[in-house]
Every structure is written in C-alpha cells, then in structure tokens.
Amino acid sequence: MSGVVLDASAILALLKNERGAGKVAGVIANALVCAVNQAEVVSHFVHLGAPIEDVRVMLGALPYTVVAADDAMAWEAGSLRAATLSAGLSLGDRFCLALAKRLGVAAYTADKAWRDVATEVAAKVVIIR
C-alpha cells in the first residue's frame, strides 16, 4: 500500500523546486498519483510549450505509481463537490482526495484551501508549504 497520494500541485512544486519540494521528495518513492492528477501535470507543461515526449521522460523518471480513475473513484470525487465548492477545489483535487480516502492515507498538496475541507470530507491532508 502507498504511504501518500500526491496532488498535481505537490508534483509541480517538486519539479519546479518550489517551497515544499523537500516534503514531496521525502515521500515520492512511496506515493500514488491519480491519473487525473497526472493529466493535470502533463497539461501544465504542455501549456508552457514543452514537447510531450520531454514531459513523458520527466514524469517517467519520478518513482510514484499512477492509479487509474475508476467508476467508484468517480462517484466519490463527484460526491465531494458540495463539501469542497466553497474552497474552490477542482475535479482533479477531488479525485486526489477520493484516492487518498480510499487508501486511508494523506493527500499531499500545495493548496492551503484543502485544510478548510479536510475534516468535512474525512480526508487526511498535508499542506506542503
């Protein structure tokens, strides 16, 4: 079983060597990432103009495991909409939380707004900065 689930913002902090990168580096070898969050990271770099093959190599070098989003996770992520709306969480954010809840592990994120909803959605959240 994984030790943590990483949000796209945590992966981006690591790759861009932003504040909080050290916390992510310390757990990445034992981390899972929902495929939806992986897509967010890919999208970020493609939007910046990075060739898709370069992005594939960059992310392929990271030791986390990508987990496919399935029907049960989709229902859980969808059900979190009402509880996370006021904090502005995205669909990708909710998939990350759904995976973390499923596994009973912490979700690592750079988004401080998650702190406001963690208790309500019954998820463990670690804010990396």
Side-chain angles (χ1 to χ4, degrees), residues 5-86:
V5 173
L6 299 177
D7 176 44
S9 66
I11 298 166
L12 290 171
L14 175 71
L15 291 172
K16 297 166 119 186
N17 200 28
E18 295 173 346
R19 198 165 48 93
K23 285 185 181 179
V24 179
V27 298
I28 197 164
N30 195 28
L32 295 176
V33 176
C34 180
V36 174
N37 302 109
Q38 177 86 332
E40 289 180 310
V41 176
V42 171
S43 178
H44 174 82
F45 286 105
V46 168
H47 177 72
L48 293 177
I52 192 69
E53 284 309 315
D54 291 354
V55 177
R56 189 180 309 278
V57 169
M58 177 178 55
L59 296 183
L62 297 177
Y64 59 71
T65 301
V66 177
V67 176
D70 59 25
D71 188 56
M73 198 181 310
W75 280 95
E76 179 65 23
S79 75
L80 295 173
R81 174 68 190 245
T84 62
L85 184 61
S86 65

Side-chain angles (χ1 to χ4, degrees), residues 107-122:
Y108 276 51
T109 184
D111 188 346
K112 292 180 177 83
W114 290 31
R115 188 178 292 130
D116 299 336
V117 299
T119 301
E120 187 175 351
V121 301

